Amino acid sequence: MTTRARAAVGVSAADLGSYQQAVRRVLTCDLITKERPRPGVLDQVLRWADEMTRDFRELLGYTLIATTHHVRLVRHLDVLDETQRSIFSRKGKPFDRRRLAYLCLVLGSFQRSRIEISLADLVRTFTPLANSVGGLGFDPAIGSHKAAVVDVLGWLVDRGALRLSDGSLEWWARDTERGDALYDIDHDICAVLFKPARPVQHLTSAAGLVHEPPHANPVRRARRLLTEFPVVYYADVDPEVADALRSPCLAEDLVRFTGLALERRAEGVMLADPGGVFTDRPFPGRGNAVSRAAGLLLAKIADLLEDPEHVPERLPVPALAADQAGLVARMDTGLPRDGVVSELAWSAAEAEPVSPGDRPAPAEAPFVERGRLESMTTELYDEFGAASFTTAWQQDARGLLDAVVAFLADLMLLRPVPGGVLVLPAALRYRNIRAALPTRTSGGQLALVALPAPAPQKDPSAWEHAPAQEEER
Amino acid sequence: MAERRALDLDSPAISDRFRLFNFTRRDDHVAYLWVLRAMDRLREVHRVQVDAGEVQGALTELARLHDEVPTFDGNLRDRLDALYEDGVVHRFDDASRAGNLVRYRNRQSVYQFSELGYWAYTSVEGLLAARIQDANLSRLVFSDILEDLKALAAANRAGQGEQVYRRLSRLDSVMEDMGRRSAHFHVTLGEIIRSTDASPETFLRYKNALLTHMSEFMAELDRYLPRLAAAVRDVETSGLASLLDRAAAADERPFMDRHERLEDWRRRWSVLRAWFAPEGPEESRAGELRNATRIAVSGVIALLRQISEAQRGGVNRATQLRHLAEWVWNAPDEGAAHALMGAAFNLRSARHLGAAHEDTEQISPRNTWWDAPGVEVSVTLFRSGKAPTTGVPTPVRGNPGARAALRREQAAERAAEREAAGHLVGMGAHGRELDDAETRVLLKLMTRALEGRTVVAGRLRRGSGADDAVMIRLVPSDRGSAVRTARGLLHLPGFRVEIAGRTPVAGSRAGGSR
């Protein structure tokens, strides 16, 4: 590695914490404005704008756009990611395709020469646009269409792209004829929100949305993977990137940059977040049913894997690159070819064929069948009481299991495969959650006292003692 | 002037005249227009009354020059009759004798433009001929206005009635022209800005000239505005009433009486005044025009940016976003749609796993996650579904009852003390037995007095001490003194106690310190 200034050089030791917090904010919040995510954050972040801009550029190749009104990180994307659904979501619900399409159309219909727009006018310009997209359309008489517009405008208002100056959106949603709302348009924010790597209309494939061919600059790529993703397994990345990841100096820079704790193991490396907020998928979360069930399921899986009587089947982990290719192919099926400006079209560089000997042998991971996962969930419902998984999931153990598996897959702890899941190595770092499971009578550990069948609501207190001791062990 | 005359028409007359434009609303209005053009062409060569055949001939001639001339398959007569119904043309029957029924029925009609019909036609043509190229802000007009205003003031002072009238009516028409032009310009500009998606080339070709034109106009306006305002005031100081009077007198409109003419001129003058020298706080109309121009300049610049952005990539944001909307909508599943949006907008969030080892150094990086110990996780969180807390913070107890009791106690104590002090002041400390409360007060005061007294040349001088109600003085005395209390006798060797109320303190202290 070249001799290069370390991260956060100009920052004194006393200020490092504040600097790292600002970095984490920028990496997790899509757009920071005076009100978003909270008043006061913008000032905290702007204090470090110059240092951060330099570090982001040198370490990761990112561009930080910082003005006195907003801060936005323009990333250098290496992969397409279908799990980032919390960005385009509102009140915890990810947008469906209709909302996503509406968002594009609404954002595209703000003319530079207009500084404000009423909802009625907006709908007037937006409706023909929506109707011109086959099957999309907008009809104010259809409630779901209106709800989609409401969510889209809410999303824009949250980010400060629109500012309500009169009327109200709810009024319009109730009564399209008479209700109206007047919005100021912040064109700077509108412009800064949409930052594709290449003009979208020049693309003949979704692969063009990624910035550079995957083999360029492995060191920065390694840093980006470590900064953006929960775990990086050496087996998933190219050999050059894996080498870069093994370099101690790379990790040290990132630890100083983000303030996270480095965890290096034989299978891979990760930055662990002791604070638990430097993420869009908090785990272990704070009282969220899915994240709690996810932890308990990991505990059950750890139990199973350590059961001497159970010999897990080990299967090769499918390569992430194959997943990417599949995702790109899926995205490309939707590409409207008519809209592509073919004269200037970008086409993917010929992917150099990877010789089979080049790639490391795919790692193997223990396989847990779907049926077993379902019985684990049933056990959890029996042991903890269905009601403790909140009313939303009380009657829907399968649904919770699906949500949990998807959640753990997003965290790169499980890998769904046909018929079940593969348990990825980092999942085992949460094995201590087993202490939360009630004392088992099997698995070689005999309960000293056979507990009388406890009433469901007393469950937690009845188990208070034994697991606590176990935890301290 | 024409506009004002129009105000006199009553509504039936207006609807009659509006009927003249009916042809523009018919299904094939373009065909009607060409018929009228053919008739106008004939009229130019003094063929005022024409029949359908001649019109057809003129149309054929026109068709040689213009591709868009429609063909009339025998229904030209119907068109001409329709125009007759609208009143655009007059229809005259051919006066020559037919002789038999067939010929009578096929008898030709001849057509001629009606006077008003011709006006309607020319105004439609005028409208069609209007081009944005005509639009301009007349910046050269300011010097004319200034000159006219000066001449007006001079003529008024000299009492030249006709000159006053001439100048004033010229000003009037110039102002009208200026108002119309600026309105025209801004409307046109607005239209260019709105319709630029269709023809950015026109705009780009003229952008520099346009911006120069507007900024020159603003500069000129800035330069002339104070001078024009001064000139208007100068005219008014030359006598506004006589000015209007003279103008009305020289005005030759016969259908208005003098009073109406005066009123008319007064109104015109106030309009002129509002342009350059308004009364009150509101902006003059020239100022408004300047503001509008300034806003228009920024609009043009914004448009320029938009167009150049579009031209750079061959696409602009709006078309890209539309394209993306279609792409997203056609995505096979939500995952692909979100992947697409996230990548196209370049929006995502970092994601990390929570909980870390306290001492990372102790675990070898060569260990696998299988072998390495697990991280410390709050078990309560998973057992109960609730995050562990350090316990509910205890509420701050407001204890008004106890506080009030303490306060009462304190107040009672103070009252007792004050009463005892009162007794001491009233009866003195000597020659009687003091009760406990009085003794407490006395001892307290004596403590202060003893702390405060001074030693001068080995001899104790007298000291004094006081609280807010009582003042005690220890006066040196050879015999000393004793105070009898309920608990026994208090000997004070070398001192005598004097006690006084606080009010006369100033005087007694003055005496004491001497």
Side-chain angles (χ1 to χ4, degrees), chain B residues 404-441:
Chain B
L406 282 171
R407 214 168 275 156
R408 268 200 305 279
E409 215 170 282
Q410 207 176 13
E413 238 169 62
R414 299 271 307 157
E417 201 170 286
R418 199 165 289 139
E419 193 189 355
H423 287 166
L424 274 177
V425 173
M427 296 187 272
H430 296 290
R432 65 188 188 98
E433 189 184 291
L434 306 184
D435 63 14
D436 277 353
E438 286 169 333
T439 312
R440 253 200 313 276
V441 174

Side-chain angles (χ1 to χ4, degrees), chain A residues 30-99:
Chain A
D30 48 9
L31 181 74
I32 298 173
T33 61
K34 280 212 162 54
E35 274 80 38
R36 182 183 166 83
R38 267 183 300 287
V41 170
L42 182 66
D43 292 337
Q44 286 170 19
V45 171
L46 281 180
R47 181 182 164 205
W48 299 111
D50 294 343
E51 286 88 346
M52 273 200 291
T53 307
R54 196 185 64 88
D55 280 350
F56 271 121
R57 192 181 54 236
E58 293 193 352
L59 293 176
L60 305 172
Y62 289 176
T63 312
L64 186 74
I65 301 175
T67 72
T68 48
H69 300 291
H70 57 258
V71 172
R72 153 94 150 101
L73 184 64
V74 181
R75 286 172 159 87
H76 196 105
L77 300 175
D78 297 304
V79 290
L80 297 167
D81 190 346
E82 56 177 313
T83 69
Q84 289 273 341
R85 301 195 192 183
S86 53
I87 294 290
F88 296 99
S89 69
R90 204 160 140 69
K91 297 185 179 140
K93 280 173 70 182
F95 280 8
D96 56 0
R97 272 164 284 176
R98 174 173 299 281
R99 284 173 172 75

Side-chain angles (χ1 to χ4, degrees), chain B residues 90-110:
Chain B
H90 294 305
R91 184 174 66 188
F92 304 101
D93 288 335
D94 192 351
S96 58
R97 181 173 172 277
N100 63 42
L101 267 177
V102 179
R103 272 183 61 191
Y104 181 80
R105 283 190 188 127
N106 286 336
R107 188 172 56 141
Q108 291 284 336
S109 298
V110 289

